[in-house]
Amino acid sequence: MATIAYKLIMTSDELYMQRCLQLALQGAGSVAPNPMVGAVLVHQGRIIGEGFHQQYGQVHAEVNCLLSVSEADRRLITESTLYVSLEPCAHVGKTPPCADRIIAEKISRVVVGCRDPFPAVDGKGIEKLVKAGIPCTVGVLEKECLALNARFICYHQKKRPYVILKWAESGDRKIAGAAKKRTAISHPLTNRLVHRWRSEEAAIAVGSGTALSDNPSLTTRLWPGRNPVRVLFDRMERVPANATIFDGEAETIHLTGQLASLPQALSFLHEKGINSLLVEGGTILLQAFIDNGLWDEMRIIRNEQLLLPGGYDAPVLPPMTLIKTDTVGTDRIFYYHG
């Protein structure tokens, strides 16, 4: 998920917004295609309510926050400040507008992390609050709030899923042994981490070559999370119906013919409401995403203790920015942004 950095010395507004971001992350993997949002209600330096968007289709963070206020503290709501990491919605979707609920509760002030890029909101929630006489402060920890919902923002602004490329490679940058022989590269603990990554994304993709050689299940069996939608790029329809990817354990989208081309595929997935895509292989598919500039994040797992001379080359890396590195067992994990 997104990395969030904070200043060592914070204003009170920034401190409470930090708490909003911490709460929002608890919705990871459960709210897509909606954004992750956290909310905190504060009265004279004391938090009297907290909430986050917990499940797609259910009430939003602001409502959960207000519902958490104890009966003894409800009289303080009108004298309190509401902090929310994303602009309150102003339209009727699966739930009523949060801006209307805030106005009805007569909250005295609202602090917003960032505006909502969704066209039905995008400034309208803030405008509605201001017109109702509620002072609003916008842009507190804005960079961090935008980073938290990079998937949501990409989906609405670029009209495609947020694309994460992931692979494991040896110290000599091979992703498989000679003759594409399947080889265990990453550490067992890293494998569990990968399954957590899967649970946090809307969909996961492989190409036909990987489906034929590895017969992957692409599930979260090593992590207690939901399975992503499986996407198979299979232009020539080479993958047989008895492949594990078609076993019904998770929804599978089979992209064939022209639909298997990347722009059309990403447009199709956008129309299906899929706001993030984890691409796990193989090299041909990964390289196609790289060469077409259709990626947002890259996670490379490298076992530097393993060498695979004569093995199958990892993708050619483009210009990119290293965000951070982690060490898990024998592996180093490199996180990049384009």
Side-chain angles (χ1 to χ4, degrees), residues 28-210:
S30 300
V31 301
N34 280 357
M36 295 176 285
V37 184
V40 175
L41 190 65
V42 180
H43 179 265
Q44 296 182 0
R46 181 170 69 92
I47 293 177
I48 63 172
E50 293 187 335
F52 65 96
H53 187 28
Q54 299 177 9
Q55 190 73 40
Y56 175 70
Q58 295 183 8
V59 294
H60 292 179
E62 299 93 324
V63 175
N64 280 327
C65 177
L66 289 164
L67 291 174
S68 77
V69 178
S70 69
E71 192 60 38
D73 285 338
R74 290 204 62 81
R75 62 184 178 82
L76 303 176
I77 291 177
T78 59
E79 303 170 5
S80 299
T81 296
L82 177 68
Y83 294 84
V84 60
S85 56
L86 187 71
E87 176 182 5
C89 62
H91 68 295
V92 177
K94 291 185 177 295
T95 61
C98 292
D100 288 356
R101 177 65 180 268
I102 294 168
I103 293 168
E105 294 280 358
K106 299 180 180 178
I107 292 171
S108 64
R109 176 178 177 242
V110 175
V111 179
V112 176
C114 64
R115 284 175 55 153
D116 189 332
F118 183 46
V121 184
D122 197 10
K124 299 180 179 68
I126 295 166
E127 181 182 4
K128 180 175 281 193
L129 295 175
V130 171
K131 283 185 175 179
I134 299 175
C136 292
T137 301
V138 182
V140 174
L141 294 187
E142 183 176 37
K143 181 179 177 181
E144 292 85 350
C145 291
L146 289 170
L148 175 74
N149 281 306
R151 291 152 182 77
F152 179 73
I153 292 167
C154 176
Y155 178 81
H156 287 290
Q157 291 186 344
K158 297 184 179 180
K159 307 300 181 185
R160 64 162 174 81
Y162 184 88
V163 176
I164 302 168
L165 307 182
K166 167 264 165 185
W167 69 85
E169 63 184 30
S170 61
D172 52 354
R173 301 212 64 243
K174 308 295 181 181
I175 65 167
K180 297 188 183 180
K181 180 181 178 182
R182 187 174 184 181
T183 305
I185 295 177
S186 53
H187 191 277
L189 288 176
T190 307
N191 294 338
R192 292 184 64 84
L193 175 61
V194 168
H195 283 232
R196 175 184 147 189
W197 291 347
R198 290 177 178 181
S199 75
E200 294 170 344
E201 307 308 332
I204 182 171
V206 294
S208 58
T210 298

Side-chain angles (χ1 to χ4, degrees), residues 231-245:
V231 179
L232 173 62
F233 285 81
D234 184 20
R235 184 187 297 273
M236 304 303 293
E237 300 186 55
R238 298 193 299 151
V239 181
N242 63 352
T244 302
I245 200 169

Side-chain angles (χ1 to χ4, degrees), residues 97 284 300:
I284 293 175
I300 302 174

